[in-house]
Amino acid sequence: MAVATLNEQAVTLRSLHRPGQPLVLANVYDILSATAVAALPSCSALATASYAVARAAGTEDDDMTLEENLNAARGIGRVAAKHNKPLSVDLQDGYGDKLVEAVKLVVEAGAVGINLEDCDKDTHKMYPVDVAVKRLQTALATAKDLGLPDFVLNARCDTLIRGGAMDEVIERGKKYLDAGAATVFVWGGGQRGVSRAEVERMVREFQGRLNVSLKWNGGLTVKELAEIGVARISVGPAIQLFAMDQYAKRAEELLKQAEG
């Protein structure tokens, strides 16, 4: 895909982030899942989830290498191009000093946006806020140099899952947005989560430019999150987990027939 066309895709992806009318992403992790989602008329864009990509590659999220992530991104990028859907890739923490290389390679794979975390996946320590901001700026500058001035960066803030306070989330999030991020993705983790009041506060503080992860059972619905005013909703590896559960059940049904 030509660079100019890629930036048009970036413009499209950016335009889909509308507070109150959020972009809803059914996160994918390989060619099969991407093909299934991209073919849906209701699909506006594709986005990967690194946890799911890692599981499909036979590794864990924190252990996945840049090349393993790119292997999935390249195949998914071909699907995105075929269906003319913009693609955002979960680039984890940017792989340390490989950040510039990682952005270049993921753009070559067809991505017009990324998730970028503010926690070092190797040390499990939060980057100092000024370092995190600089990394966001570096990623955006790299994309701009490649002809994508509208590259969409979703800045993930891991403060809550590292035991930090919401005040720090707000401080970091505002600086990330000022640095050029389109949205801030605040993840509370599977146990802590994020309360409705916290979502409402972040929507106010970030002027709606918030990405949240949907909790399938017992959490706020897509409709409720839209009414609160978020701009982006994702699901991480949830659909993969559902799919593998069904795969195992169907396999068990088949194999039990041999026992009879």
Side-chain angles (χ1 to χ4, degrees), residues 1 9 12 31-41 43-46 75-87:
M1 184 178 291
Q9 292 279 13
T12 296
I31 290 174
L32 283 177
S33 60
T35 300
V37 173
L40 298 173
C43 170
S44 300
L46 293 177
I76 295 168
R78 292 194 295 272
V79 175
K82 178 180 178 181
H83 291 269
N84 197 32
K85 302 289 174 68
L87 170 64

Side-chain angles (χ1 to χ4, degrees), residues 6-184:
L6 274 182
N7 196 60
E8 290 171 2
Q9 292 279 13
V11 171
T12 296
L13 181 59
R14 185 176 291 273
S15 72
L16 293 170
H17 292 72
R18 299 185 295 269
Q21 294 179 286
L23 168 63
V24 180
L25 296 163
N27 296 92
V28 301
Y29 54 91
D30 64 4
I31 290 174
L32 283 177
S33 60
T35 300
V37 173
L40 298 173
S42 54
C43 170
S44 300
L46 293 177
T48 69
S50 67
Y51 186 96
V53 171
R55 280 169 51 90
T59 188
E60 299 298 326
D61 200 14
D62 286 340
D63 297 328
M64 183 168 63
T65 65
L66 171 58
E67 190 55 37
E68 287 171 328
N69 201 349
L70 287 168
N71 283 340
R74 291 177 182 120
I76 295 168
R78 292 194 295 272
V79 175
K82 178 180 178 181
H83 291 269
N84 197 32
K85 302 289 174 68
L87 170 64
S88 178
V89 168
D90 187 345
L91 205 59
Q92 301 185 292
D93 69 340
Y95 306 94
D97 58 8
K98 294 182 179 179
L99 176 59
V100 171
E101 175 190 5
V103 172
K104 288 180 178 179
L105 291 172
V106 84
V107 168
E108 288 178 7
V112 296
I114 57 170
N115 274 23
L116 190 63
E117 301 169 9
D118 60 357
C119 183
D120 188 313
K121 76 183 187 74
D122 294 324
T123 66
H124 304 290
K125 293 181 179 180
M126 296 290 292
Y127 286 112
V129 65
D130 58 331
V131 174
V133 166
K134 180 63 176 177
R135 291 177 68 80
L136 295 176
Q137 293 171 331
T138 296
L140 289 168
T142 300
K144 185 176 181 180
D145 288 344
L146 294 171
L148 278 78
D150 295 289
F151 195 70
V152 179
L153 200 155
N154 188 35
R156 177 169 140 172
C157 180
D158 279 3
T159 294
L160 295 181
I161 61 172
R162 299 298 169 188
M166 180 56 67
D167 285 346
E168 182 184 344
V169 172
I170 300 301
E171 177 189 358
R172 281 179 173 265
K174 287 182 175 179
K175 289 182 178 180
Y176 296 169
L177 293 170
D178 288 344
T183 44
V184 178

Side-chain angles (χ1 to χ4, degrees), residues 24-25 27 185-196 198-199 211-225 230 232-239 241-242:
V24 180
L25 296 163
N27 296 92
F185 173 32
V186 179
W187 188 50
Q191 293 185 340
R192 184 199 185 282
V194 178
S195 70
R196 182 186 185 108
E198 288 173 330
V199 173
N211 173 198
V212 297
S213 180
L214 182 76
K215 183 178 180 181
W216 283 86
N217 297 311
L220 295 170
T221 65
V222 168
K223 181 180 179 182
E224 288 170 330
L225 289 167
V230 306
R232 175 168 169 156
I233 300 171
S234 49
V235 296
I239 298 177
L241 297 175
F242 293 145

